[in-house]
Amino acid sequence: MSLLERSASFVSDTTELGALRSSAHQVQAVETRTGQLEAALAKLRLALGRRTLLVSEGLTVALDTKSAGGIAFYLRTFKADLASDPAAAASNELSPKTIGPLNLLSAAVEAASAAAWSAHVRSKVPSVGEDLLQHLSQISALQARVERVRRLRRDALALADQLPIDPAIFKTLDDLAEACATAWRTLDAESLPPSVARFLRDASSDGGADLARLDEPVQTWLTANGLGGAFGIRTR
């Protein structure tokens, strides 16, 4: 083979190799974008599934879904493009118009669901301040019962840290919240004067205690047990 022929063959081989590399890079880009899109869609399905569970249990999940229409439009557009040209998956417009917005929508759904779930958990648990429980735990006659209230309350509130994926979690929350409420209601049994117990229960509620509840016997007991500065006055 002459030098000229060998040169022509080399150029041909190089051209074919370049085309092959280009095709391989294109295939890799298509696979990468397809994987990213599938991951984004899976993430959104999971977020929507969690939200559906909360809604089915009676929770209100406030969510702005205005962006969903635009995302759906571009997904339909790219689906049609892919049907005629699989390489469309490597388009520079795919990520900013679908993958990015899908991930943002998933994050918004998760955040709204987390806020609704956290509020629900806290609404179930007796609103007893940790500072009050800390003060009450210093009273020897109340220590064991206060610790039970604290443990049940802590276990119930811990459920707010993770969105439920199983309806059974709602039953777990109800059981813990009821046990905590019962423990708090019976905290005074044979341990506190009735007027003091009534004041503490009212003071730890969302509405607070009437000023009339803070009579002299209650003030005397609070002062004697180091709780004189544990409460404040606010208007309703």
Side-chain angles (χ1 to χ4, degrees):
M1 181 182 292
S2 67
L3 177 61
L4 184 61
E5 289 173 332
R6 287 200 301 273
S7 298
S9 177
F10 176 76
V11 169
S12 176
D13 290 345
T14 302
T15 301
E16 291 177 2
L17 182 59
L20 181 60
R21 284 175 177 168
S22 177
S23 296
H25 289 158
Q26 189 177 61
V27 169
Q28 186 177 31
V30 169
E31 290 178 347
T32 298
R33 288 293 175 80
T34 301
Q36 291 173 342
L37 182 58
E38 289 176 348
L41 288 170
K43 186 177 179 181
L44 180 59
R45 281 194 293 270
L46 178 61
L48 290 174
R50 288 172 169 171
R51 179 179 182 271
T52 298
L53 174 58
L54 297 181
V55 172
S56 71
E57 293 290 337
L59 277 66
T60 298
V61 181
L63 179 64
D64 182 1
T65 58
K66 287 184 292 187
S67 65
I71 297 173
F73 170 78
Y74 284 115
L75 283 173
R76 287 193 297 269
T77 300
F78 278 111
K79 182 179 180 180
D81 292 343
L82 287 170
S84 59
D85 181 13
S91 169
N92 291 332
E93 294 186 349
L94 180 61
S95 183
K97 289 186 176 181
T98 57
I99 297 173
L102 277 171
N103 286 330
L104 289 176
L105 181 58
S106 296
V109 174
E110 286 282 323
S113 296
W117 172 240
S118 179
H120 177 70
V121 170
R122 295 183 183 283
S123 73
K124 289 281 188 176
V125 180
S127 55
V128 185
E130 181 60 32
D131 53 347
L132 173 59
L133 292 174
Q134 178 62 33
H135 284 298
L136 291 176
S137 68
Q138 304 305 312
I139 303 171
S140 57
L142 298 177
Q143 279 183 351
R145 294 180 183 182
V146 169
E147 270 312 306
R148 175 170 169 75
V149 173
R150 295 174 83 174
R151 178 177 57 78
L152 290 168
R153 187 171 182 274
R154 184 171 57 247
D155 290 348
L157 290 175
L159 295 177
D161 295 338
Q162 187 170 353
L163 283 171
I165 57 175
D166 187 340
I169 295 297
F170 288 84
K171 178 65 165 56
T172 300
L173 172 61
D174 288 342
D175 291 344
L176 284 171
E178 179 56 33
C180 183
T182 299
W184 175 242
R185 285 194 302 267
T186 59
L187 182 67
D188 60 308
E190 301 178 0
S191 303
L192 299 175
S195 59
V196 172
R198 185 165 56 248
F199 171 79
L200 291 175
R201 282 197 300 270
D202 290 351
S204 63
S205 67
D206 292 335
D210 292 336
L211 195 56
R213 296 284 192 202
L214 192 59
D215 55 21
E216 185 173 348
V218 171
Q219 292 185 52
T220 299
W221 188 92
L222 292 176
T223 301
N225 288 278
L227 295 172
F231 302 93
I233 298 174
R234 71 170 187 269
T235 58
R236 290 177 176 172

